[in-house]
Amino acid sequence: MKSDQVKNGLEKAPHRSLFKALGLTDEEVRRPLIGIVNSENEIIPGHIHLGTIAEAVKTGVRMNGGTPMEFGVIGVCDGIAMNHLGMKYSLASRELIADSIEVMAIAHSFDALMFIPNCDKIIPGMLMAAARLNLPSVFVSGGPMLVGTYEGRRVSLSNVFEGVGAVAGGKMTMDQLHDLEESACPGCGSCAGLFTANSMNCLTEAMGMGLPGNGTIPAVHANRIRLAKQAGWQVMEMLRMDRRPRDIMTYDAFYNALVADMALGGSSNTILHLPAIAHEVGIKLELDLANEISGRVPHLCKLAPSGSHYLEDLDAAGGIPALMAELNKHGLIKGGALTVTGRTVAEDVAGRTIKNPEVLHPVSDPYSATGGLAILKGNLAQEGAVVKKGAVAPEMMTHRGPARVFESEEESVAAILGGRINKGDVIVIRYEGPRGGPGMREMLTPTSSVAGMGLDKDVALITDGRFSGATRGASIGHVAPEAAVGGMIALVREGDPILIDIPNGVIQLEVDAAEIERRKADWKAPEPKIKTGYLARYARAVTSASRGAVFED
């Protein structure tokens, strides 16, 4: 066992003494030491209950002969960090999370790891660490939040963000918004729609790193506690089998994750995180693969913000196992890929069926014949950009309009809420990329404000930053190369015509080539927005969004 190097032999007597200072007995010290990587904190609703999940995991580890040892991991609440300086730290925290877990796991010689994430960057950060360390590992999330109810309709956090635009547009009063904000988030768990957190938890399950149910069992259900105990038990089985993350996180696993992503129409942020996780195991996921898969995988599920259903509905409809079984039946996934159950994906989902075809459609009756995400390319995004096309109104799938150019998110929000955006406009928000932001902020405030004002079927948004998984409408993010390195988005001027053609995967600045060359000659790199601290170091090390915004090797 790896932990033998910190507990066996004459010279390890001081080490054993320190373990005994923790209250461990000789028998507990002799057992495999299992690191419990817990991102619990008191600021994220999706994480406030993870202590309960961790205790259940520890029970499972002890039942199967291990000694659990818990340590903490930072986590940012994207909702609270939204629309201010704090959001610059959200994506950047992903690398910190991976690095800090590496430090703890190697310094203390754990034999295996149990990962307990729930929200946004914490999940990919932990997956990156698992891939890098390659110790036997199992993931169990904290589960999704239950849906809220307001004036007889089901609501979640995205409705509150859209409520801001509704108030600004005169469609809702402040008193109504207050009532909505008290109703939308009824308790613990990752926000109830198919936003980034729930998308990543579902994809963790689809790629085989979480047990069946990891992505969809609600946070407050007793079955979530049972799942956590089973996960703790299973990590010991992984250790005995010597099955490691790189045995599971193969090309086939990432392929399956992309297939599930397209069938679900998950957050556009998954197209940022999957390449970053794959990078840790030496696999290069090209953006073109996402489009190739999207071209032949049907969109089978429309959860909020794309539709009226939520994660608890998907769970009742059979969850990710039912989805994978349906996809496998039609030869759309790699059924032989291994999972943390010790079996293959095909074996895990054998006999699973769709329990509610209104929530999870069969392949024979899809929402659309192609997937819920699309990669766009053209002179405005030579390396690519991403759109959650399953959440785009039909009338906006192809759009041509004049650019309204803003140098930051704050400028765009002031214009939107100030009524200065017209139908047909294409809002361009730049210098918000990984390097230029720095940190590639999520921008739910401008997108939800546009939707709340009733303009989501008339206005497009383009940025080298990111959009929240709670975004709907023609919101195109991850434009690369970004403005800060001289990408074409830096050269757009007010009023320039822009073509968006989602069915054909095109995003084009319709300006004469000679004029573009003149603008290139005049362009100068801006001064860094932040010159000290972690974000300054991050900006110097981070790569393009098209590469997953990973650090330079």
Side-chain angles (χ1 to χ4, degrees):
M1 289 190 299
K2 188 176 178 65
S3 63
D4 287 348
Q5 63 188 352
V6 295
K7 62 188 185 184
N8 285 0
L10 171 65
E11 70 277 18
K12 296 305 188 294
H15 302 62
R16 292 192 294 273
S17 183
L18 289 169
F19 282 124
K20 290 177 180 180
L22 303 175
L24 297 182
T25 65
D26 284 332
E27 173 57 27
E28 287 175 302
V29 174
R30 279 193 292 270
R31 292 180 173 192
L33 302 183
I34 311 301
I36 311 298
V37 188
N38 186 6
S39 54
E40 179 188 21
N41 64 42
E42 294 185 351
I43 190 67
I44 309 179
H47 291 234
I48 194 167
H49 66 302
L50 295 188
T52 302
I53 302 297
E55 287 305 314
V57 165
K58 291 177 196 176
T59 297
V61 169
R62 292 188 183 105
M63 285 193 302
N64 204 7
T67 297
M69 308 190 81
E70 180 181 347
F71 63 90
V73 169
I74 64 166
V76 171
C77 178
D78 278 22
I80 295 173
M82 199 73 67
N83 194 31
H84 63 92
L85 177 64
M87 180 46 73
K88 293 178 184 287
Y89 287 86
S90 176
L91 178 61
S93 73
R94 187 187 70 183
E95 321 308 309
L96 274 178
I97 288 165
D99 289 350
S100 65
I101 295 168
E102 175 190 346
V103 168
M104 289 296 288
I106 294 177
H108 301 105
S109 295
F110 290 118
D111 296 301
L113 296 170
M114 267 299 316
F115 290 90
I116 309 174
N118 213 28
C119 293
D120 294 281
K121 306 320 147 293
I122 297 101
I123 306 159
M126 287 189 178
L127 284 164
M128 289 165 69
R132 186 185 304 175
L133 291 161
N134 204 32
L135 294 170
S137 301
V138 177
F139 279 66
V140 61
S141 77
M145 186 184 292
L146 294 178
V147 68
T149 304
Y150 169 71
E151 293 186 346
R153 61 188 176 96
R154 305 169 87 200
V155 293
S156 68
L157 181 66
S158 63
N159 298 99
V160 186
F161 274 96
E162 291 183 11
V164 174
V167 171
K171 299 175 183 295
M172 178 181 277
T173 68
M174 281 299 298
D175 285 343
Q176 288 173 318
L177 180 60
H178 176 267
D179 290 344
L180 174 60
E181 74 185 57
E182 290 208 331
S183 306
C185 299
C188 66
S190 48
C191 297
L194 192 62
F195 313 144
T196 304
N198 289 324
S199 296
M200 286 305 303
N201 283 327
C202 287
L203 297 194
T204 299
E205 183 179 339
M207 73 167 62
M209 288 300 294
L211 296 176
N214 177 73
T216 60
I217 298 171
V220 296
H221 283 197
N223 199 20
R224 175 63 56 180
I225 301 300
R226 294 195 294 274
L227 182 73
K229 290 177 182 177
Q230 291 162 358
W233 175 281
Q234 192 59 28
V235 78
M236 295 301 299
E237 297 299 302
M238 292 289 98
L239 179 60
R240 292 186 181 107
M241 285 189 285
D242 194 30
R243 180 159 293 174
R244 298 169 182 263
R246 293 187 188 181
D247 299 324
I248 295 167
M249 283 196 270
T250 61
Y251 175 85
D252 284 359
F254 288 104
Y255 184 94
N256 286 346
L258 281 169
V259 171
D261 203 10
M262 296 305 166
L264 289 170
S267 166
S268 58
N269 283 314
T270 58
I271 303 300
L272 192 69
H273 297 317
L274 288 175
I277 300 161
H279 176 77
E280 294 288 347
V281 296
I283 295 172
K284 188 173 183 179
L285 278 190
E286 300 282 1
L287 293 183
D288 289 343
L289 176 63
N291 258 1
E292 177 192 326
I293 291 173
S294 181
R296 51 195 172 77
V297 173
H299 189 187
L300 304 180
C301 187
K302 278 202 174 188
L303 304 185
S306 303
S308 59
H309 298 119
Y310 292 84
L311 262 290
E312 62 190 75
D313 302 316
L314 177 57
D315 187 62
I320 301 306
L323 172 72
M324 299 299 278
E326 178 69 9
L327 293 169
N328 189 51
K329 184 168 68 175
H330 293 272
L332 294 170
I333 61 169
K334 310 286 188 182
L338 297 174
T339 80
V340 292
T341 64
R343 301 184 296 271
T344 66
V345 173
E347 289 169 337
D348 280 349
V349 303
R352 302 291 188 125
T353 59
I354 296 172
K355 299 177 182 177
N356 186 345
E358 290 185 9
V359 174
L360 182 55
H361 286 209
V363 168
S364 61
D365 181 31
Y367 282 102
S368 68
T370 57
L373 296 172
I375 306 300
L376 309 182
K377 288 189 175 181
N379 68 355
L380 192 50
Q382 292 168 322
E383 293 176 12
V386 63
V387 62
K388 189 173 183 175
K389 71 174 184 179
V392 179
E395 51 265 55
M396 288 299 291
M397 294 296 282
T398 302
H399 179 77
R400 178 182 278 108
R404 302 295 307 279
V405 182
F406 302 96
E407 309 300 323
S408 69
E409 177 187 7
E410 288 84 356
E411 285 186 17
S412 71
V413 171
I416 294 166
L417 296 181
R420 302 198 301 274
I421 299 299
N422 304 310
K423 289 185 176 182
D425 285 348
V426 177
I427 300 169
V428 177
I429 309 171
R430 63 190 179 193
Y431 295 102
E432 290 286 5
R435 184 166 296 181
M440 202 180 182
R441 284 193 286 184
E442 252 183 21
M443 288 181 253
L444 180 55
T445 299
T447 58
S448 57
S449 297
V450 165
M453 295 177 78
L455 293 172
D456 56 302
K457 296 180 180 179
D458 301 290
V459 170
L461 297 95
I462 298 173
T463 184
D464 53 7
R466 301 180 296 123
F467 290 119
S468 165
T471 289
R472 62 186 173 95
S475 302
I476 299 160
H478 308 190
V479 168
E482 63 174 292
V485 299
M488 187 72 78
I489 192 171
L491 308 181
V492 180
R493 293 184 180 173
E494 190 80 7
D496 283 349
I498 292 176
L499 170 67
I500 299 164
D501 184 351
I502 295 173
N504 290 305
V506 173
I507 182 168
Q508 193 80 2
L509 176 65
E510 296 186 320
V511 172
D512 179 78
E515 172 61 20
I516 288 173
E517 289 304 314
R518 283 192 290 271
R519 294 181 190 181
K520 280 183 182 177
D522 292 339
W523 181 82
K524 293 180 181 179
E527 282 288 308
K529 293 179 184 176
I530 295 178
K531 299 180 181 180
T532 60
Y534 175 62
L535 276 182
R537 298 196 302 276
Y538 178 88
R540 290 193 294 268
V542 73
T543 61
S544 169
S546 65
R547 293 175 54 190
V550 297
F551 282 173
E552 290 284 2
D553 290 328

